[in-house]
């Protein structure tokens, strides 16, 4: 097992871009992971349907997250170790064991996902391929040695040959040479309070409210304030939708219209 962020990949017709985010929080739809013929997950862990694990489109791997089923109030902790789900509009895939404990059946569930920042950072620091392993040591100056009793010729030859500083191995080299196995997370769930939510399809974000209002007028949507790490934005949304199938249909229409950033919002 090793640390990995990885390249961009396609979820349906949508491109997603993995990135480090140690304070991730989101609401969305979670599903059971589809069966895979690959024996290893994206970060090199042996695939196990009985483990408390899951997949995420963009989070660094592995990451530890708390997942709350907003429909029934159940809460679990899993280790995200794979890329997915492959279907657009889904924020999390759950192993069969994790899905059973969270009460997720064949249909998607509305969930809240909260990353354990401290634990996830620790994994990034200790696993092969993590950010700490990408830092090469600074070059070392040559050491000069002088024998006060030596001849002039000896003094001229007394400079020691520079010794190359050992370099940190690349992520691939370290992964190949080091076997790391993390302990399984406990298969348990906690009961909380269900939360009433609505489904929306967010099609675009704008820095100017006027631009958002023009797009909303074209597609029958509405304008909502959206707060991002870049600052306040204006989002165009369609909805609310009563069922997940209605939200999925709206998402497919938005993607077909070229609004490639469209996604399902649970609030």
């Amino acid at each position: 097992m090793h640390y990995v962020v990885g390249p961009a990949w396609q979820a349906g017709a949508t491109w997603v871009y993995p990135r480090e985010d140690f304070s991730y929080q989101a609401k969305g739809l979670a599903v059971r992971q589809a069966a895979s013929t690959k024996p290893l997950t994206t970060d090199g862990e042996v695939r196990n349907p009985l483990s408390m694990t899951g997949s995420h489109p963009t989070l660094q791997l592995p990451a530890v997250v708390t997942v709350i089923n907003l429909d029934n109030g159940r809460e679990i902790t899993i280790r995200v170790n794979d890329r997915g789900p492959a279907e657009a509009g889904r924020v999390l895939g759950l192993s069969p064991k994790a899905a059973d404990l969270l009460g997720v059946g064949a249909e998607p569930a509305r969930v809240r996902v909260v990353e354990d920042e401290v634990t996830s950072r620790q994994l990034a620091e200790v696993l092969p391929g993590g950010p700490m392993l990408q830092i090469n040591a600074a070059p070392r100056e040559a050491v000069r040695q002088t024998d006060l009793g030596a001849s002039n010729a000896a003094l001229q030859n007394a400079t020691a040959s520079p010794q190359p500083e050992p370099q940190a191995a690349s992520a691939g080299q370290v992964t190949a040479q080091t076997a790391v196995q993390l302990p399984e997370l406990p298969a348990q769930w906690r009961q909380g309070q269900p939360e009433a939510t609505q489904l929306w399809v967010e099609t675009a974000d704008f820095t100017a409210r006027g631009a958002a209002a023009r797009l909303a007028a074209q597609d029958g949507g509405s304008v909502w304030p959206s707060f991002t790490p870049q600052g306040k934005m204006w989002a165009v949304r369609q909805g609310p939708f009563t069922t997940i199938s209605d939200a999925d249909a709206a998402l497919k229409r938005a993607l077909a219209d070229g609004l490639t950033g469209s996604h399902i919002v649970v609030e």
Side-chain angles (χ1 to χ4, degrees):
M1 187 176 188
H2 60 280
Y3 176 91
V4 63
V5 176
W9 64 284
Q10 272 188 292
T14 304
W15 280 94
V16 291
Y17 300 88
R19 61 189 180 275
E20 284 184 349
D21 186 352
F22 293 104
S23 57
Y24 175 86
Q25 295 190 37
K27 289 181 181 178
L29 299 178
V31 294
R32 280 179 173 263
Q33 286 179 329
S36 175
T37 58
K38 297 179 180 179
L40 300 180
T41 63
T42 301
D43 64 6
E45 189 169 358
V46 176
R47 199 178 299 279
N48 179 6
L50 298 179
S51 64
M52 296 294 286
T53 55
S55 59
H56 191 274
T58 63
L59 273 179
Q60 73 284 343
L61 306 176
V64 174
V65 300
T66 296
V67 188
I68 302 100
N69 187 332
L70 300 174
D71 296 327
N72 61 22
R74 286 193 178 190
E75 178 181 322
I76 61 174
T77 298
I78 66 170
R79 181 167 61 246
V80 178
N81 63 2
D82 209 4
R83 281 284 167 252
E87 185 178 355
R90 308 298 186 252
V91 300
L92 194 69
L94 298 165
S95 71
K97 183 65 175 182
D100 287 342
L101 293 182
L102 199 62
V104 178
E107 297 300 317
R110 309 176 198 211
V111 298
R112 182 173 181 236
V113 184
V114 181
E115 184 174 6
D116 183 332
E117 182 172 359
V118 173
T119 302
S120 297
R121 283 188 183 276
Q122 289 174 343
L123 291 176
E125 292 173 357
V126 302
L127 285 176
M132 297 296 291
L133 297 178
Q134 307 306 318
I135 303 174
N136 288 334
R140 186 170 59 187
E141 292 291 335
V143 177
R144 300 182 64 89
Q145 297 178 348
T146 303
D147 184 352
L148 296 180
S151 64
N152 290 338
L155 287 174
Q156 293 174 359
N157 295 326
T159 302
S161 300
Q163 297 298 315
E165 179 73 15
Q167 299 295 308
S170 69
Q173 291 172 327
V174 174
T175 302
Q177 297 172 0
T178 309
V180 176
Q181 183 174 356
L182 296 178
E184 293 286 351
L185 292 173
Q188 59 188 23
W189 59 275
R190 304 166 291 279
Q191 186 61 55
Q193 293 297 321
E195 182 179 332
T197 58
Q198 292 181 317
L199 293 165
W200 304 79
V201 172
E202 192 167 296
T203 58
D205 289 315
F206 295 90
T207 55
R209 194 182 192 285
R214 286 191 291 272
L215 179 60
Q218 293 174 11
D219 62 10
S222 55
V223 177
W224 290 69
S226 175
F227 298 93
T228 71
Q230 291 73 38
K232 185 177 181 179
M233 307 281 284
W234 297 97
V236 178
R237 289 185 180 179
Q238 295 178 352
F241 300 100
T242 304
T243 67
I244 293 174
S245 61
D246 288 341
D248 280 338
L251 176 62
K252 290 178 181 178
R253 289 194 298 270
L255 293 173
D257 289 341
L259 300 170
T260 57
S262 300
H263 56 280
I264 292 176
V265 174
V266 176
E267 284 189 348

